[in-house]
Amino acid sequence: MTYQADDGRYERQPYNRSGRSGLKLPAVSLGLWHNFGDNRPIENSRAILRRAFDLGVSHFDLANNYGVPYGSAEKNFGRILRDDFLPYRDELIISTKAGYDMWPGPYGEWGSRKYVLASLDQSLRRMGLEYVDIFYSHRPDPETPLEETMGALDRAVRSGKALYAGISNYSAEQTAQAARIMAELGTPLLIHQPSYSMINRWIEDGLLDAVEEAGMGCIVFSPLAQGLLTDRYLDGVPSDSRAATSRFLSADRIDVDLARDLNELARGRGQTLAQMALSWTLRDPRVTSVLIGASSVRQLEDNVACVDGPDFTEDELGAIDKITARHTAR
């Protein structure tokens, strides 16, 4: 059946300006890190993407090595884009990244001009696009001059293959330096993409200040701490959970007491634990958007509903700080 987007899609969530730019992003964006590779049914991926757009999620975030095998998330997204979303291309923000290992040899990762620009060309071919809206340096390269990596981002924008440039996983000091370089080149950085959650607050120690000072936006990933901040682990570690099956999360990181205590607080707010965790990351106005993943339409719908939650009271924020401090101190 031919897909037709819901007419009320832009009434279902807020859109926030990214720093001092002209671009607004949905409060909730969809990341395709997991669940969109060749190891997942493409019809499930299609259903998630369709429902996301119907709910006002106009930003889809990828990277060159997303999916199993690497590149398959971009390839599958490109297929769904051609079949369903081409009429809506100008309503979409599509991003991708280069920085982690993608192909063998010395030119297949990190931040050289050679790798960054070759990776962008490959990503465009996989997705069948002439340009992406945001192109990121996925991580800082300790051995390549930052001027070279930023110069590659500047070139990507000036060539028309990307509309905006961003960085991910950069420290506060690296962010300030990168922003200065890009400003001098005439292509200001649009946005920073760091990890952030109730139990991973490193960006509060200077990075959010650096982002604000540079006029950048901030879009955070892993807001649910790979599932720790959901109801998935309230009764222990299920055998089919990410903690039991993924290299990105180990069972010894699961704090059942933390999840249960936070879940009680979420219930008092009329939210699921995941919804409260997502709402919490958006409480700071410097956070433009939060990236969620989804393995099903139901999970997507539950997470996107975080935008309907109440504002936090000072007592609630204090209670969250007290609970999560116990986890940090373990």
mmCIF file of all heavy atoms in Angstrom, residues 299-316:
data_model
loop_
_atom_site.group_PDB
_atom_site.id
_atom_site.type_symbol
_atom_site.label_atom_id
_atom_site.label_comp_id
_atom_site.label_asym_id
_atom_site.label_seq_id
_atom_site.Cartn_x
_atom_site.Cartn_y
_atom_site.Cartn_z
ATOM 1 N N GLN A 299 7.063 0.335 21.015
ATOM 2 C CA GLN A 299 8.127 0.976 21.784
ATOM 3 C C GLN A 299 8.328 2.414 21.327
ATOM 4 O O GLN A 299 8.517 3.321 22.145
ATOM 5 C CB GLN A 299 9.424 0.187 21.632
ATOM 6 C CG GLN A 299 10.577 0.727 22.461
ATOM 7 C CD GLN A 299 11.869 -0.032 22.216
ATOM 8 O OE1 GLN A 299 12.306 -0.162 21.068
ATOM 9 N NE2 GLN A 299 12.470 -0.546 23.271
ATOM 10 N N LEU A 300 8.290 2.636 20.031
ATOM 11 C CA LEU A 300 8.404 3.983 19.485
ATOM 12 C C LEU A 300 7.315 4.891 20.053
ATOM 13 O O LEU A 300 7.590 5.995 20.536
ATOM 14 C CB LEU A 300 8.307 3.933 17.967
ATOM 15 C CG LEU A 300 8.184 5.294 17.273
ATOM 16 C CD1 LEU A 300 9.551 5.922 17.088
ATOM 17 C CD2 LEU A 300 7.467 5.166 15.932
ATOM 18 N N GLU A 301 6.088 4.433 20.002
ATOM 19 C CA GLU A 301 4.961 5.250 20.462
ATOM 20 C C GLU A 301 5.091 5.581 21.938
ATOM 21 O O GLU A 301 4.804 6.711 22.363
ATOM 22 C CB GLU A 301 3.645 4.518 20.186
ATOM 23 C CG GLU A 301 3.316 4.400 18.711
ATOM 24 C CD GLU A 301 2.107 3.531 18.440
ATOM 25 O OE1 GLU A 301 1.760 2.696 19.321
ATOM 26 O OE2 GLU A 301 1.499 3.657 17.357
ATOM 27 N N ASP A 302 5.511 4.598 22.727
ATOM 28 C CA ASP A 302 5.674 4.827 24.158
ATOM 29 C C ASP A 302 6.733 5.896 24.407
ATOM 30 O O ASP A 302 6.540 6.800 25.239
ATOM 31 C CB ASP A 302 6.072 3.524 24.849
ATOM 32 C CG ASP A 302 6.279 3.699 26.352
ATOM 33 O OD1 ASP A 302 5.277 3.804 27.078
ATOM 34 O OD2 ASP A 302 7.447 3.739 26.792
ATOM 35 N N ASN A 303 7.837 5.827 23.689
ATOM 36 C CA ASN A 303 8.924 6.779 23.924
ATOM 37 C C ASN A 303 8.585 8.180 23.436
ATOM 38 O O ASN A 303 8.897 9.172 24.114
ATOM 39 C CB ASN A 303 10.198 6.284 23.255
ATOM 40 C CG ASN A 303 10.808 5.084 23.970
ATOM 41 O OD1 ASN A 303 10.422 4.747 25.083
ATOM 42 N ND2 ASN A 303 11.752 4.438 23.318
ATOM 43 N N VAL A 304 7.965 8.296 22.271
ATOM 44 C CA VAL A 304 7.623 9.611 21.736
ATOM 45 C C VAL A 304 6.635 10.332 22.660
ATOM 46 O O VAL A 304 6.635 11.570 22.758
ATOM 47 C CB VAL A 304 7.058 9.487 20.308
ATOM 48 C CG1 VAL A 304 6.495 10.816 19.828
ATOM 49 C CG2 VAL A 304 8.150 9.023 19.345
ATOM 50 N N ALA A 305 5.831 9.566 23.391
ATOM 51 C CA ALA A 305 4.851 10.165 24.305
ATOM 52 C C ALA A 305 5.504 10.901 25.464
ATOM 53 O O ALA A 305 4.805 11.576 26.244
ATOM 54 C CB ALA A 305 3.909 9.082 24.837
ATOM 55 N N CYS A 306 6.834 10.834 25.583
ATOM 56 C CA CYS A 306 7.511 11.582 26.644
ATOM 57 C C CYS A 306 7.238 13.073 26.543
ATOM 58 O O CYS A 306 7.288 13.786 27.556
ATOM 59 C CB CYS A 306 9.009 11.317 26.610
ATOM 60 S SG CYS A 306 9.903 12.099 25.234
ATOM 61 N N VAL A 307 6.956 13.571 25.346
ATOM 62 C CA VAL A 307 6.744 15.011 25.181
ATOM 63 C C VAL A 307 5.444 15.470 25.824
ATOM 64 O O VAL A 307 5.232 16.678 26.006
ATOM 65 C CB VAL A 307 6.757 15.412 23.684
ATOM 66 C CG1 VAL A 307 8.096 15.074 23.052
ATOM 67 C CG2 VAL A 307 5.613 14.745 22.912
ATOM 68 N N ASP A 308 4.580 14.538 26.166
ATOM 69 C CA ASP A 308 3.307 14.887 26.794
ATOM 70 C C ASP A 308 3.389 14.883 28.315
ATOM 71 O O ASP A 308 2.400 15.154 29.000
ATOM 72 C CB ASP A 308 2.220 13.895 26.353
ATOM 73 C CG ASP A 308 1.994 13.913 24.851
ATOM 74 O OD1 ASP A 308 2.036 15.017 24.271
ATOM 75 O OD2 ASP A 308 1.791 12.836 24.268
ATOM 76 N N GLY A 309 4.546 14.554 28.866
ATOM 77 C CA GLY A 309 4.700 14.471 30.311
ATOM 78 C C GLY A 309 4.717 15.835 30.979
ATOM 79 O O GLY A 309 4.982 16.860 30.348
ATOM 80 N N PRO A 310 4.458 15.866 32.300
ATOM 81 C CA PRO A 310 4.474 17.141 33.036
ATOM 82 C C PRO A 310 5.887 17.654 33.247
ATOM 83 O O PRO A 310 6.856 16.900 33.165
ATOM 84 C CB PRO A 310 3.827 16.750 34.374
ATOM 85 C CG PRO A 310 4.186 15.303 34.559
ATOM 86 C CD PRO A 310 4.156 14.713 33.174
ATOM 87 N N ASP A 311 5.994 18.949 33.513
ATOM 88 C CA ASP A 311 7.292 19.504 33.888
ATOM 89 C C ASP A 311 7.734 18.897 35.221
ATOM 90 O O ASP A 311 6.914 18.480 36.040
ATOM 91 C CB ASP A 311 7.203 21.024 34.022
ATOM 92 C CG ASP A 311 6.974 21.725 32.697
ATOM 93 O OD1 ASP A 311 7.313 21.129 31.652
ATOM 94 O OD2 ASP A 311 6.446 22.848 32.711
ATOM 95 N N PHE A 312 9.033 18.890 35.437
ATOM 96 C CA PHE A 312 9.571 18.364 36.684
ATOM 97 C C PHE A 312 9.469 19.407 37.800
ATOM 98 O O PHE A 312 9.722 20.598 37.583
ATOM 99 C CB PHE A 312 11.038 17.969 36.508
ATOM 100 C CG PHE A 312 11.241 16.713 35.726
ATOM 101 C CD1 PHE A 312 11.473 16.765 34.360
ATOM 102 C CD2 PHE A 312 11.194 15.468 36.343
ATOM 103 C CE1 PHE A 312 11.666 15.604 33.618
ATOM 104 C CE2 PHE A 312 11.380 14.305 35.624
ATOM 105 C CZ PHE A 312 11.612 14.367 34.251
ATOM 106 N N THR A 313 9.110 18.939 38.977
ATOM 107 C CA THR A 313 9.178 19.801 40.152
ATOM 108 C C THR A 313 10.596 19.743 40.722
ATOM 109 O O THR A 313 11.361 18.824 40.414
ATOM 110 C CB THR A 313 8.181 19.342 41.229
ATOM 111 O OG1 THR A 313 8.590 18.054 41.737
ATOM 112 C CG2 THR A 313 6.772 19.235 40.658
ATOM 113 N N GLU A 314 10.932 20.701 41.558
ATOM 114 C CA GLU A 314 12.249 20.688 42.201
ATOM 115 C C GLU A 314 12.412 19.458 43.076
ATOM 116 O O GLU A 314 13.503 18.882 43.165
ATOM 117 C CB GLU A 314 12.444 21.962 43.019
ATOM 118 C CG GLU A 314 12.611 23.221 42.180
ATOM 119 C CD GLU A 314 13.812 23.138 41.248
ATOM 120 O OE1 GLU A 314 14.876 22.644 41.686
ATOM 121 O OE2 GLU A 314 13.679 23.552 40.079
ATOM 122 N N ASP A 315 11.314 19.033 43.729
ATOM 123 C CA ASP A 315 11.373 17.830 44.567
ATOM 124 C C ASP A 315 11.675 16.594 43.729
ATOM 125 O O ASP A 315 12.456 15.721 44.141
ATOM 126 C CB ASP A 315 10.065 17.638 45.327
ATOM 127 C CG ASP A 315 9.897 18.636 46.468
ATOM 128 O OD1 ASP A 315 10.898 19.268 46.848
ATOM 129 O OD2 ASP A 315 8.755 18.786 46.962
ATOM 130 N N GLU A 316 11.070 16.499 42.542
ATOM 131 C CA GLU A 316 11.311 15.349 41.670
ATOM 132 C C GLU A 316 12.749 15.328 41.175
ATOM 133 O O GLU A 316 13.402 14.274 41.162
ATOM 134 C CB GLU A 316 10.340 15.377 40.489
ATOM 135 C CG GLU A 316 8.913 15.021 40.863
ATOM 136 C CD GLU A 316 7.930 15.268 39.733
ATOM 137 O OE1 GLU A 316 8.222 16.096 38.841
ATOM 138 O OE2 GLU A 316 6.863 14.620 39.725
#
